[in-house]
Amino acid sequence: MHLFKKNHFICSINQFKLLNMKKLHLLFALLTFGLFISCSKDNNNGGDGGSSIQSITITATPTEVYTGDNIQFTVKGNNNADLSTSAVIYVNTTPLVTNFYTPTTAGTLSVYAVYQVSSTVSITSPTIQIPVAQGISFNKRVLIEDYTGTWCQYCPRVAYAISQVRLQTTNSVVVAIHRTSGSAIDPYNFSAASALETMIGLQGYPTGMLNRKTTWNYPENNYISQPVNLTTGTNPRIGLAMTNSVSGSTATVQVNVKFGKDFTGLKLVVYALEDNLVYNQTNSTSFYGGVNPIVNFDYDDVLRGFLTSSILGEDITGTTNLNGVYTKSFTYTIPAGTQASNLHFAAFVLDSTGKALNSRDASSTATQTFEVQ
């Protein structure tokens, strides 16, 4: 009995020692694993932690810069982390509050960034040099193309909205594109506009398009600020001026386009528009007194023809670099019964996406100069 207790006691001690040895081994393994993980994290270049960034670089958009352009700087770490808002960017040794900068004079910008890794360690990027050319800015106009019809019961809404835009700015160029729909006939229907409707994916009438590619929000009379705002902000680098004349039944329209920077892929569109056309207008809106029809409604800016080779625009050929001027003359045969004094012409320049960069209109006998700002 005593021998059994003794042996049992010795066995318990051995088991205790073995258990403690296992615990020690387990503890050692856990410590080793933790150290490994810690080291792995220290050597990991993921994320944007300061200890993982060894160097930084800075780039600018656009790369071709003119006075008045808004430049955006991007700062990245060697681990590709975006540090644009956490690094301090210096332009000609002056720190910026944000990562944007607008040069006002021509010259060369020396730009670099400093990223603070810790309270005692910072990293400085290589300095980049950005040449700034003296660009030319022009007055900014918005092109409003109104897809409408005399038969269209809700079209007076857009006509009214356009009148409100004109009360707020003189910098709008309006084109009323009249269309028929089914059995509904419009005496001012412009059938060639079907190419435009396909381009914009027209869903119905009325539709207002701004600078050709932007839909005027519905209901347009509640969004007068949308086209008005497109006449403000950064001025375009494209300027237009027309020299027009009339001889007998022929109108001659000379369009001059001046480039305030280097361009590629531009197109020109020239419209013939007519004012003071009178016809009854169907009306199911509250505008214009809510009467239906609006008897002897006065239609202005009605599209009667396009002078360029395509209503979608013809290529502007030749050199389109800074300070260059493109000039082309067009003729328009004035239809019988149309008074030359009721005619005016609209010209606008499209970029490679079909967006109007700037526009202008002029009477049939106007001589214009460029609206340099």
Side-chain angles (χ1 to χ4, degrees):
M1 184 69 180
H2 291 290
L3 179 60
F4 172 78
K5 288 184 178 179
K6 181 178 180 181
N7 289 338
H8 180 74
F9 177 75
I10 293 172
C11 183
S12 298
I13 291 176
N14 289 335
Q15 287 179 342
F16 177 79
K17 287 181 178 181
L18 181 60
L19 181 60
N20 283 342
M21 285 295 290
K22 287 183 178 180
K23 288 182 177 180
L24 287 174
H25 283 301
L26 179 60
L27 179 59
F28 180 78
L30 290 173
L31 289 173
T32 303
F33 181 75
L35 182 61
F36 172 78
I37 293 298
S38 177
C39 291
S40 298
K41 287 183 178 179
D42 288 342
N43 292 326
N44 182 16
N45 283 331
D48 60 356
S51 62
S52 66
I53 297 175
Q54 307 301 320
S55 63
I56 62 173
T57 57
I58 185 169
T59 56
T61 304
T63 55
E64 181 182 301
V65 180
Y66 296 85
T67 53
D69 284 350
N70 193 28
I71 309 172
Q72 180 178 4
F73 296 111
T74 301
V75 182
K76 288 197 172 183
N78 58 289
N79 60 354
N80 207 39
D82 192 334
L83 310 173
S84 304
T85 57
S86 54
V88 178
I89 299 168
Y90 291 81
V91 175
N92 295 337
T93 71
T94 300
L96 304 183
V97 176
T98 69
N99 60 316
F100 291 89
Y101 181 76
T102 303
T104 56
T105 57
T108 300
L109 304 178
S110 295
V111 185
Y112 64 92
V114 176
Y115 177 67
Q116 201 72 31
V117 178
S118 67
S119 59
T120 58
V121 179
S122 62
I123 302 173
T124 301
S125 73
T127 299
I128 59 174
Q129 304 292 326
I130 304 176
V132 179
Q134 183 64 55
I136 307 171
S137 296
F138 299 91
N139 185 47
K140 189 177 187 181
R141 297 179 185 272
V142 59
L143 172 69
I144 304 176
E145 290 177 298
D146 173 23
Y147 293 81
T148 186
T150 59
W151 51 269
C152 173
Q153 59 183 334
Y154 296 108
C155 286
R157 184 186 69 242
V158 176
Y160 173 80
I162 289 171
S163 70
Q164 298 308 295
V165 170
R166 282 175 157 159
L167 291 177
Q168 296 194 30
T169 180
T170 58
N171 291 321
S172 63
V173 174
V174 177
V175 179
I177 305 172
H178 282 250
R179 302 292 282 133
T180 60
S181 179
S183 60
I185 303 300
D186 188 316
Y188 313 124
N189 175 56
F190 195 73
S191 60
S194 58
L196 292 178
E197 295 178 340
T198 299
M199 178 193 69
I200 65 171
L202 186 81
Q203 298 297 308
Y205 306 90
T207 292
M209 298 299 293
L210 308 176
N211 289 335
R212 182 157 272 196
K213 300 288 282 188
T214 300
T215 302
W216 192 351
N217 292 337
Y218 168 86
E220 296 79 4
N221 56 289
N222 286 348
Y223 293 94
I224 304 302
S225 61
Q226 188 183 3
V228 171
N229 288 344
L230 291 175
T231 68
T232 64
T234 303
N235 291 93
R237 301 294 187 176
I238 289 285
L240 297 101
M242 282 180 272
T243 302
N244 304 335
S245 61
V246 175
S247 177
S249 62
T250 301
T252 300
V253 180
Q254 177 181 294
V255 180
N256 307 292
V257 181
K258 188 165 185 176
F259 311 109
K261 57 176 281 187
D262 294 348
F263 282 97
T264 58
L266 299 178
K267 290 181 181 291
L268 175 67
V269 178
V270 182
Y271 282 155
L273 310 175
E274 188 174 358
D275 297 332
N276 302 319
L277 296 171
V278 178
Y279 197 79
N280 291 350
Q281 172 66 53
T282 302
N283 182 29
S284 293
T285 76
S286 60
F287 304 111
Y288 303 101
V291 297
N292 183 33
I294 307 172
V295 178
N296 294 331
F297 190 78
D298 184 12
Y299 297 94
D300 293 327
D301 312 300
V302 177
L303 178 59
R304 304 300 263 170
F306 59 91
L307 283 58
T308 42
S309 59
S310 170
I311 197 171
L312 301 177
E314 67 174 47
D315 292 337
I316 294 180
T317 57
T319 303
T320 55
N321 293 337
L322 173 64
N323 284 313
V325 176
Y326 173 81
T327 299
K328 186 167 182 179
S329 292
F330 304 87
T331 58
Y332 177 70
T333 300
I334 302 173
T338 298
Q339 297 182 31
S341 58
N342 287 337
L343 286 177
H344 65 286
F345 298 89
F348 50 96
V349 175
L350 309 174
D351 66 13
S352 58
T353 70
K355 173 187 174 183
L357 297 176
N358 207 0
S359 54
R360 198 167 184 188
D361 57 0
S363 71
S364 58
T365 57
T367 298
Q368 297 177 325
T369 58
F370 293 113
E371 301 174 302
V372 178
Q373 296 296 293

